[in-house]
Short mmCIF file of all heavy atoms in Angstrom, two decimals:
data_model
loop_
_atom_site.label_atom_id
_atom_site.label_comp_id
_atom_site.label_asym_id
_atom_site.label_seq_id
_atom_site.Cartn_x
_atom_site.Cartn_y
_atom_site.Cartn_z
N LYS V 1 99.92 96.48 84.60
CA LYS V 1 99.90 97.15 83.20
C LYS V 1 99.82 96.15 82.14
O LYS V 1 99.08 96.30 81.12
CB LYS V 1 101.19 97.97 83.03
CG LYS V 1 101.26 99.27 83.71
CD LYS V 1 102.42 99.92 83.44
CE LYS V 1 102.29 101.41 84.01
NZ LYS V 1 103.63 102.33 83.67
N ALA V 2 100.44 94.96 82.29
CA ALA V 2 100.41 93.84 81.30
C ALA V 2 98.98 93.37 81.24
O ALA V 2 98.47 93.24 80.16
CB ALA V 2 101.30 92.77 81.60
N VAL V 3 98.22 93.10 82.30
CA VAL V 3 96.94 92.62 82.20
C VAL V 3 95.96 93.69 81.73
O VAL V 3 95.15 93.36 80.94
CB VAL V 3 96.40 92.21 83.76
CG1 VAL V 3 94.99 91.84 83.75
CG2 VAL V 3 97.32 90.98 84.16
N GLU V 4 96.13 94.93 82.18
CA GLU V 4 95.29 96.03 81.59
C GLU V 4 95.41 96.17 80.12
O GLU V 4 94.30 96.38 79.46
CB GLU V 4 95.61 97.37 82.39
CG GLU V 4 94.69 98.47 81.96
CD GLU V 4 95.01 99.72 82.71
OE1 GLU V 4 95.98 99.71 83.61
OE2 GLU V 4 94.41 100.70 82.36
N LYS V 5 96.61 96.07 79.62
CA LYS V 5 96.78 96.23 78.23
C LYS V 5 96.44 95.08 77.48
O LYS V 5 95.90 95.36 76.30
CB LYS V 5 98.37 96.65 78.13
CG LYS V 5 98.74 96.95 76.63
CD LYS V 5 100.19 97.32 76.45
CE LYS V 5 100.58 97.52 75.03
NZ LYS V 5 102.01 97.91 74.92
N LYS V 6 96.82 93.86 77.88
CA LYS V 6 96.62 92.74 76.94
C LYS V 6 95.43 91.85 77.12
O LYS V 6 94.89 91.39 76.12
CB LYS V 6 97.92 91.81 77.14
CG LYS V 6 99.27 92.57 76.73
CD LYS V 6 100.36 91.55 77.15
CE LYS V 6 101.70 92.37 76.89
NZ LYS V 6 101.86 92.66 75.50
N HIS V 7 94.89 91.74 78.32
CA HIS V 7 93.93 90.76 78.56
C HIS V 7 92.44 91.16 78.16
O HIS V 7 92.02 92.31 78.43
CB HIS V 7 93.80 90.36 80.09
CG HIS V 7 93.05 88.96 80.37
ND1 HIS V 7 91.71 88.97 80.42
CD2 HIS V 7 93.50 87.71 80.37
CE1 HIS V 7 91.38 87.63 80.59
NE2 HIS V 7 92.49 86.89 80.45
N PRO V 8 91.74 90.35 77.40
CA PRO V 8 90.29 90.71 76.98
C PRO V 8 89.38 90.96 78.13
O PRO V 8 88.25 91.54 77.78
CB PRO V 8 89.92 89.54 76.13
CG PRO V 8 91.24 88.76 75.81
CD PRO V 8 92.09 88.88 77.07
N ASN V 9 89.53 90.28 79.30
CA ASN V 9 88.45 90.42 80.32
C ASN V 9 87.08 90.15 79.87
O ASN V 9 86.21 90.98 79.80
CB ASN V 9 88.50 91.85 80.92
CG ASN V 9 89.75 92.09 81.77
OD1 ASN V 9 90.48 91.32 82.00
ND2 ASN V 9 89.70 93.35 82.34
N LEU V 10 86.75 88.80 79.86
CA LEU V 10 85.45 88.40 79.29
C LEU V 10 84.42 88.44 80.31
O LEU V 10 83.26 88.91 80.04
CB LEU V 10 85.56 86.98 78.92
CG LEU V 10 86.11 86.74 77.30
CD1 LEU V 10 86.27 85.34 77.01
CD2 LEU V 10 85.21 87.52 76.34
N TYR V 11 84.80 88.14 81.56
CA TYR V 11 83.65 87.75 82.57
C TYR V 11 83.57 88.71 83.61
O TYR V 11 82.61 88.79 84.44
CB TYR V 11 83.96 86.36 83.23
CG TYR V 11 83.92 85.29 82.24
CD1 TYR V 11 85.15 84.59 81.86
CD2 TYR V 11 82.71 84.76 81.76
CE1 TYR V 11 85.09 83.64 80.84
CE2 TYR V 11 82.58 83.76 80.84
CZ TYR V 11 83.80 83.21 80.33
OH TYR V 11 83.77 82.15 79.49
N HIS V 12 84.40 89.79 83.79
CA HIS V 12 84.43 90.83 84.67
C HIS V 12 84.69 92.07 84.06
O HIS V 12 85.66 92.13 83.09
CB HIS V 12 85.32 90.56 85.92
CG HIS V 12 84.94 89.25 86.64
ND1 HIS V 12 85.48 88.00 86.21
CD2 HIS V 12 84.19 89.06 87.73
CE1 HIS V 12 85.06 87.11 87.03
NE2 HIS V 12 84.25 87.74 88.05
N SER V 13 84.27 93.21 84.55
CA SER V 13 84.56 94.51 84.03
C SER V 13 85.95 94.93 84.55
O SER V 13 86.41 94.30 85.58
CB SER V 13 83.51 95.57 84.57
OG SER V 13 83.67 95.65 85.86
N ARG V 14 86.51 95.84 83.80
CA ARG V 14 87.82 96.23 84.14
C ARG V 14 87.85 96.89 85.53
O ARG V 14 88.82 96.81 86.24
CB ARG V 14 88.44 97.30 83.14
CG ARG V 14 88.70 96.51 81.70
CD ARG V 14 89.52 97.40 80.89
NE ARG V 14 89.81 96.69 79.63
CZ ARG V 14 90.80 95.82 79.44
NH1 ARG V 14 91.47 95.51 80.45
NH2 ARG V 14 91.07 95.19 78.29
N GLU V 15 86.72 97.52 85.85
CA GLU V 15 86.62 98.08 87.11
C GLU V 15 86.76 97.06 88.40
O GLU V 15 87.29 97.33 89.31
CB GLU V 15 85.29 98.97 87.30
CG GLU V 15 85.24 100.24 86.45
CD GLU V 15 85.01 99.80 84.95
OE1 GLU V 15 84.71 98.79 84.63
OE2 GLU V 15 85.40 100.84 84.15
N GLU V 16 85.98 95.94 88.13
CA GLU V 16 86.13 94.86 89.14
C GLU V 16 87.53 94.30 89.32
O GLU V 16 88.04 94.05 90.36
CB GLU V 16 85.18 93.65 88.60
CG GLU V 16 83.67 94.04 88.82
CD GLU V 16 82.78 92.99 88.34
OE1 GLU V 16 82.79 92.72 86.95
OE2 GLU V 16 82.19 92.21 89.13
N VAL V 17 88.11 94.13 88.23
CA VAL V 17 89.46 93.64 88.19
C VAL V 17 90.47 94.59 88.88
O VAL V 17 91.39 94.32 89.72
CB VAL V 17 89.93 93.19 86.69
CG1 VAL V 17 91.56 92.84 86.81
CG2 VAL V 17 89.22 92.11 86.14
N GLN V 18 90.27 95.98 88.46
CA GLN V 18 91.12 97.02 89.11
C GLN V 18 90.95 97.07 90.61
O GLN V 18 91.82 97.18 91.45
CB GLN V 18 90.78 98.24 88.52
CG GLN V 18 91.63 99.46 88.84
CD GLN V 18 93.09 99.13 88.52
OE1 GLN V 18 93.31 98.62 87.40
NE2 GLN V 18 94.02 99.54 89.37
N LYS V 19 89.72 96.78 91.03
CA LYS V 19 89.50 96.80 92.47
C LYS V 19 90.15 95.62 93.23
O LYS V 19 90.84 96.00 94.28
CB LYS V 19 87.95 96.51 92.66
CG LYS V 19 87.55 96.45 94.21
CD LYS V 19 87.73 97.73 94.99
CE LYS V 19 87.09 97.82 96.37
NZ LYS V 19 87.48 96.78 97.28
N VAL V 20 90.26 94.50 92.66
CA VAL V 20 91.17 93.53 93.21
C VAL V 20 92.59 93.79 93.28
O VAL V 20 93.30 93.62 94.27
CB VAL V 20 90.92 92.14 92.50
CG1 VAL V 20 91.80 91.00 93.04
CG2 VAL V 20 89.48 91.63 92.48
N PHE V 21 93.05 94.45 92.13
CA PHE V 21 94.48 94.83 92.16
C PHE V 21 94.80 95.95 93.23
O PHE V 21 95.74 95.85 93.89
CB PHE V 21 94.78 95.52 90.88
CG PHE V 21 95.29 94.56 89.83
CD1 PHE V 21 94.68 94.14 88.67
CD2 PHE V 21 96.72 94.11 89.89
CE1 PHE V 21 95.15 93.27 87.76
CE2 PHE V 21 97.16 93.20 88.99
CZ PHE V 21 96.42 92.72 87.84
N GLU V 22 93.79 96.78 93.31
CA GLU V 22 94.08 97.85 94.46
C GLU V 22 94.11 97.21 95.89
O GLU V 22 94.81 97.61 96.73
CB GLU V 22 92.92 98.93 94.32
CG GLU V 22 93.06 99.69 93.16
CD GLU V 22 91.84 100.57 92.89
OE1 GLU V 22 90.83 100.56 93.74
OE2 GLU V 22 91.85 101.34 91.86
N ASP V 23 93.13 96.18 96.06
CA ASP V 23 93.01 95.60 97.49
C ASP V 23 94.34 94.76 97.82
O ASP V 23 94.79 94.82 98.91
CB ASP V 23 91.78 94.51 97.44
CG ASP V 23 90.48 95.40 97.50
OD1 ASP V 23 90.46 96.57 97.79
OD2 ASP V 23 89.42 94.70 97.24
N GLN V 24 94.81 93.99 96.80
CA GLN V 24 96.01 93.32 97.03
C GLN V 24 97.21 94.06 97.14
O GLN V 24 98.23 93.79 97.94
CB GLN V 24 96.23 92.29 95.85
CG GLN V 24 95.21 91.06 95.86
CD GLN V 24 95.20 90.25 97.19
OE1 GLN V 24 94.07 90.40 97.90
NE2 GLN V 24 96.12 89.39 97.27
N TYR V 25 97.18 95.30 96.52
CA TYR V 25 98.32 96.17 96.54
C TYR V 25 98.55 96.55 97.98
O TYR V 25 99.79 96.85 98.44
CB TYR V 25 98.05 97.45 95.67
CG TYR V 25 99.14 98.51 95.60
CD1 TYR V 25 100.17 98.33 94.64
CD2 TYR V 25 99.11 99.60 96.41
CE1 TYR V 25 101.23 99.28 94.63
CE2 TYR V 25 100.14 100.50 96.38
CZ TYR V 25 101.16 100.31 95.30
OH TYR V 25 102.30 101.25 95.45
N GLU V 26 97.46 96.72 98.75
CA GLU V 26 97.63 97.16 100.21
C GLU V 26 98.39 96.28 101.00
O GLU V 26 98.75 96.42 102.13
CB GLU V 26 96.23 97.49 100.62
CG GLU V 26 95.42 98.68 100.13
CD GLU V 26 96.22 99.96 100.15
OE1 GLU V 26 96.80 100.21 101.16
OE2 GLU V 26 96.29 100.70 99.07
N LEU V 27 98.48 94.96 100.54
CA LEU V 27 99.17 93.86 101.29
C LEU V 27 100.71 93.93 101.13
O LEU V 27 101.21 93.22 101.90
CB LEU V 27 98.56 92.52 100.90
CG LEU V 27 97.10 92.35 101.07
CD1 LEU V 27 96.65 90.89 100.58
CD2 LEU V 27 96.70 92.49 102.57
N LEU V 28 101.16 94.63 100.24
CA LEU V 28 102.62 94.75 100.02
C LEU V 28 103.30 95.34 101.21
O LEU V 28 102.84 96.33 101.81
CB LEU V 28 102.89 95.54 98.80
CG LEU V 28 102.46 94.90 97.40
CD1 LEU V 28 102.82 96.01 96.31
CD2 LEU V 28 103.00 93.59 97.19
N LYS V 29 104.48 94.94 101.54
CA LYS V 29 105.28 95.47 102.54
C LYS V 29 106.71 95.15 102.41
O LYS V 29 107.11 94.38 101.52
CB LYS V 29 104.82 94.95 103.97
CG LYS V 29 105.00 93.40 104.09
CD LYS V 29 104.34 92.94 105.53
CE LYS V 29 104.36 91.43 105.57
NZ LYS V 29 103.81 90.92 106.86
N ASP V 30 107.48 95.82 103.07
CA ASP V 30 109.02 95.75 102.88
C ASP V 30 109.48 94.40 103.27
O ASP V 30 108.86 93.75 104.16
CB ASP V 30 109.70 96.86 103.59
CG ASP V 30 110.97 97.27 103.14
OD1 ASP V 30 111.23 96.91 101.97
OD2 ASP V 30 111.76 97.94 103.80
N ASP V 31 110.55 93.91 102.61
CA ASP V 31 111.25 92.69 102.95
C ASP V 31 110.37 91.38 102.69
O ASP V 31 110.50 90.56 103.49
CB ASP V 31 111.77 92.71 104.40
CG ASP V 31 112.91 93.78 104.68
OD1 ASP V 31 113.68 94.10 103.55
OD2 ASP V 31 112.97 94.35 105.68
N MET V 32 109.65 91.36 101.69
CA MET V 32 108.91 90.19 101.35
C MET V 32 109.86 89.24 100.56
O MET V 32 110.68 89.73 99.71
CB MET V 32 107.71 90.52 100.44
CG MET V 32 106.37 90.89 101.28
SD MET V 32 105.12 91.16 100.13
CE MET V 32 103.68 90.89 101.33
N THR V 33 109.60 87.92 100.71
CA THR V 33 110.32 86.99 99.84
C THR V 33 109.63 86.93 98.63
O THR V 33 108.42 87.28 98.30
CB THR V 33 110.56 85.75 100.58
OG1 THR V 33 109.26 85.09 100.72
CG2 THR V 33 111.22 85.73 102.02
N GLU V 34 110.28 86.02 97.59
CA GLU V 34 109.46 85.70 96.41
C GLU V 34 108.22 85.01 96.68
O GLU V 34 107.17 85.48 96.07
CB GLU V 34 110.37 84.84 95.55
CG GLU V 34 109.71 84.45 94.33
CD GLU V 34 110.66 83.49 93.53
OE1 GLU V 34 111.79 83.51 93.51
OE2 GLU V 34 110.09 82.57 92.76
N LEU V 35 108.13 84.09 97.60
CA LEU V 35 106.95 83.27 97.86
C LEU V 35 105.88 84.26 98.57
O LEU V 35 104.78 84.11 98.32
CB LEU V 35 107.27 82.12 98.79
CG LEU V 35 106.09 81.08 98.90
CD1 LEU V 35 105.77 80.56 97.45
CD2 LEU V 35 106.66 79.87 99.68
#
């Protein structure tokens, strides 16, 4: 939300950035450490 709201996104479209957010979201799983 912070990136979507605040960042100007000069070199890529918001759709491209959103796609990366969605892909990485799929990697989340229970019991992850900070690192």
Side-chain angles (χ1 to χ4, degrees):
K1 282 185 174 180
V3 171
E4 181 180 356
K5 180 179 179 180
K6 300 178 183 300
H7 199 276
N9 282 2
L10 279 177
Y11 297 104
H12 297 85
S13 67
R14 293 195 179 276
E15 289 75 20
E16 289 177 289
V17 175
Q18 187 61 38
K19 177 65 166 57
V20 177
F21 267 108
E22 291 171 357
D23 290 345
Q24 291 301 108
Y25 183 82
E26 296 301 318
L27 300 180
L28 295 179
K29 57 185 179 181
D30 209 12
D31 292 332
M32 279 185 156
T33 65
E34 176 183 334
L35 193 56

